[in-house]
Amino acid sequence: MNHSRFSRRAFCGATGIGLGLLPLLSTDRTAQAAGVTSPKRLITICWPNGVRADQWWPDAAPGPDYTLANGTGVTTTNFSFANLKMIAPLEPHRSDILLFQGLTIGNIQGAGHESLPVLFDVGGGNSLDWQVAQKIGADNPFKTLNLAVQKRDSRGHIFHNGQGVTLEQDPFKLFDTLFASGGLDPGLFAKQGAAKKSVLDYVGKQLEAFGKQLGTDDRQRVAFHLDSVRAVEKRLTAPGAITPGGRPTSLPAMPFDVKNTTNFEKVTRAQMDLIVLALAGDLTRVVTLLLGDGDASNLVMSWLGSQFAPASTSGGLGNDNSHHSNAHSENDKHVSMQQWFAEQFAYLIAQMKATPDVHGSKIFDGSVVYVVNNMNTGGGHGTNNLPVFIAGGAGVLATGRYLRMNASLKSVHAAVAGALGAPLAGATEYAGLRI
């Protein structure tokens, strides 16, 4: 059978799936055959309240502020995260990471807590995501996705043409936007209400019949993507639940309060899973994610154990057992809290490595995951020597390196933008980042 006559549009029409939802089938790979590679992508992430130098940088002497330890043997390419608690979760991905030491954004009035508006600033009233999206995201259903997890303060983060951008903080709404609106006929849900089936089960049955006309590789790739979407649906709501009105509970209802700090962990994981699916379906190629506030004074990470239970509020630091308060103390709790964030970054990287994109490559290939903290230490609040790393950039940036420098963060912005085909006019790139 000649499978090439089955187009992606015909497949989606037959299954009732929106064109943005499923990966391209091998029947539509003429572009690949012509030498088109997997697209470039950018994810920018910010998280708060600094690090402890001797638990983050491979060559730091004991203490919260960075000073060089002698005799470590650390070089640009010979380093490890394994014994550094805050960054240890990233050790499995070390060869795909660029770790920076010595980057600064200069003096900020109010110091690190007030740094969010300039962390990804590239001038002209725009942040890095918007600059890059003009070149690599213009033809996608969503030019950019601007997301957050429990951002409560009024500090900016992402800017387009001088205007602050609203960040979507609700993964249920994000799921609806990406995969329900225009992607599936709501009337299909009612047909399966009595059986309490997931909408994706319905699609799967149609896929099974239509799949008999497809090659083995196509069936495997489509099945993998549907399994991924179903996994997210189950994580957001009770498995297979359908409301009496015929809509899945993951869309109009909220099984948990996304604003409650005890659910910070759940919301973070859901947002990351949805980012991966949006990239896999080529719904977008540019994403920003802000994890918490500029100070996270209300973030009590109670899921990490009883020692992180909420305490009284006093002293102007928010909850006494909050991320903010423990960061000020630069104690073991602060180390554990920042280690948890590193675990989430490692999770995102692993998911990107495991998930194919619309061209059949893993979505990590060609992607740049750019992660920045808003201050150097939790007690110092300085905006010099910011904790920064980049993951990914295969074919774009030279990874597997630890770069000690004295440079502006904006020079790295310029290098990333240039490598992704969106050069910053008049900007000076930090030399040596690009391959």
Side-chain angles (χ1 to χ4, degrees):
M1 179 179 293
N2 180 9
H3 298 302
S4 62
R5 65 189 181 88
F6 295 108
S7 72
R8 182 182 184 227
R9 183 172 297 274
F11 171 79
C12 294
T15 59
I17 298 172
L19 291 175
L21 183 57
L22 290 180
L24 286 170
L25 304 178
S26 61
T27 54
D28 279 330
R29 292 177 189 156
T30 54
Q32 264 192 291
V36 177
T37 60
S38 180
K40 296 175 181 178
R41 306 177 183 88
L42 172 67
I43 303 175
T44 59
I45 301 175
C46 175
W47 95 106
N49 291 333
V51 299
R52 184 178 174 89
D54 58 6
Q55 298 300 323
W56 182 264
W57 284 289
D59 60 354
D65 290 302
Y66 178 87
T67 57
L68 178 64
N70 296 320
T72 63
V74 170
T75 67
T76 300
T77 56
N78 180 37
F79 61 96
S80 173
F81 303 147
N83 296 318
L84 307 171
K85 291 182 179 179
M86 281 185 172
I87 199 172
L90 292 169
E91 173 65 16
H93 307 291
R94 176 166 43 85
S95 63
D96 297 306
I97 285 177
L98 265 168
L99 178 67
F100 299 93
Q101 187 275 314
L103 291 178
T104 179
I105 54 173
N107 295 323
I108 303 296
Q109 185 176 1
H113 291 316
E114 306 301 328
S115 67
L116 290 180
V118 296
L119 275 182
F120 292 106
D121 175 53
V122 295
N126 291 316
S127 50
L128 180 62
D129 70 308
W130 189 249
Q131 170 72 20
V132 171
Q134 305 310 303
K135 296 295 184 180
I136 69 173
D139 296 329
N140 297 88
F142 300 92
K143 184 174 289 188
T144 63
L145 289 182
N146 306 115
L147 313 177
V149 178
Q150 295 183 8
K151 185 182 188 300
R152 302 171 187 271
D153 61 19
S154 59
R155 300 177 180 101
H157 177 53
I158 301 301
F159 293 87
H160 297 173
N161 299 322
Q163 300 296 314
V165 175
T166 299
L167 304 175
E168 179 56 74
Q169 304 195 53
D170 187 336
F172 297 96
K173 291 181 180 178
L174 178 60
F175 183 86
D176 194 359
T177 299
L178 293 177
F179 301 113
S181 300
L184 293 163
D185 179 3
L188 301 180
F189 296 111
K191 296 179 181 179
Q192 303 219 29
K196 296 186 182 295
K197 295 288 187 179
S198 163
V199 62
L200 294 176
D201 288 334
Y202 179 88
V203 173
K205 289 179 181 179
Q206 293 196 350
L207 172 62
E208 184 178 355
F210 188 77
K212 294 178 181 179
Q213 305 174 65
L214 303 174
T216 300
D217 184 52
D218 286 337
R219 289 199 300 271
Q220 290 175 342
R221 293 178 64 230
V222 171
F224 177 88
H225 194 74
L226 289 175
D227 285 346
S228 298
V229 176
R230 184 177 289 110
V232 173
E233 184 182 17
K234 289 180 178 178
R235 209 173 275 130
L236 290 175
T237 184
I242 298 288
T243 64
R247 298 281 289 177
T249 56
S250 59
L251 301 182
M254 295 185 185
F256 62 85
D257 182 359
V258 301
K259 296 181 179 180
N260 190 313
T261 58
T262 62
N263 291 324
F264 189 94
E265 177 187 30
K266 294 180 181 179
V267 179
T268 298
R269 184 58 58 91
Q271 295 284 58
M272 287 185 171
D273 285 342
L274 290 169
I275 287 171
V276 170
L277 290 177
L279 294 175
D282 209 21
L283 298 178
T284 190
R285 295 179 183 175
V286 181
V287 181
T288 60
L289 177 63
L290 177 60
L291 296 171
D293 289 334
D295 56 30
S297 59
N298 293 307
L299 175 55
V300 180
M301 301 171 76
S302 55
W303 61 89
L304 294 180
S306 58
Q307 69 272 35
F308 294 92
S312 62
T313 300
S314 64
L317 299 179
N319 190 289
D320 283 349
N321 208 10
S322 68
H323 193 284
H324 184 211
S325 180
N326 285 306
H328 265 265
S329 300
E330 296 172 335
N331 55 20
D332 289 345
K333 291 181 182 179
H334 182 220
V335 173
S336 296
M337 289 176 169
Q338 297 302 56
Q339 182 183 50
W340 179 85
F341 276 101
E343 290 170 354
Q344 309 319 300
F345 304 145
Y347 171 82
L348 176 62
I349 293 167
Q351 292 300 104
M352 293 176 68
K353 287 181 175 181
T355 305
D357 67 11
V358 296
H359 298 279
S361 302
K362 304 303 184 186
I363 61 174
F364 189 71
D365 297 343
S367 294
V368 173
V369 183
Y370 189 7
V371 185
V372 181
N373 200 289
N374 66 343
M375 62 182 70
N376 54 13
T377 67
H381 294 68
T383 51
N384 60 306
N385 194 25
L386 293 172
V388 178
F389 74 88
I390 289 175
V396 180
L397 301 173
T399 56
R401 295 186 296 156
Y402 171 40
L403 299 183
R404 292 166 286 190
M405 57 181 64
N406 181 15
S408 167
L409 186 63
K410 288 188 176 182
S411 68
V412 177
H413 295 350
V416 169
L420 293 174
L424 298 174
T428 302
E429 295 187 17
Y430 184 83
L433 293 191
R434 290 213 230 174
I435 291 177

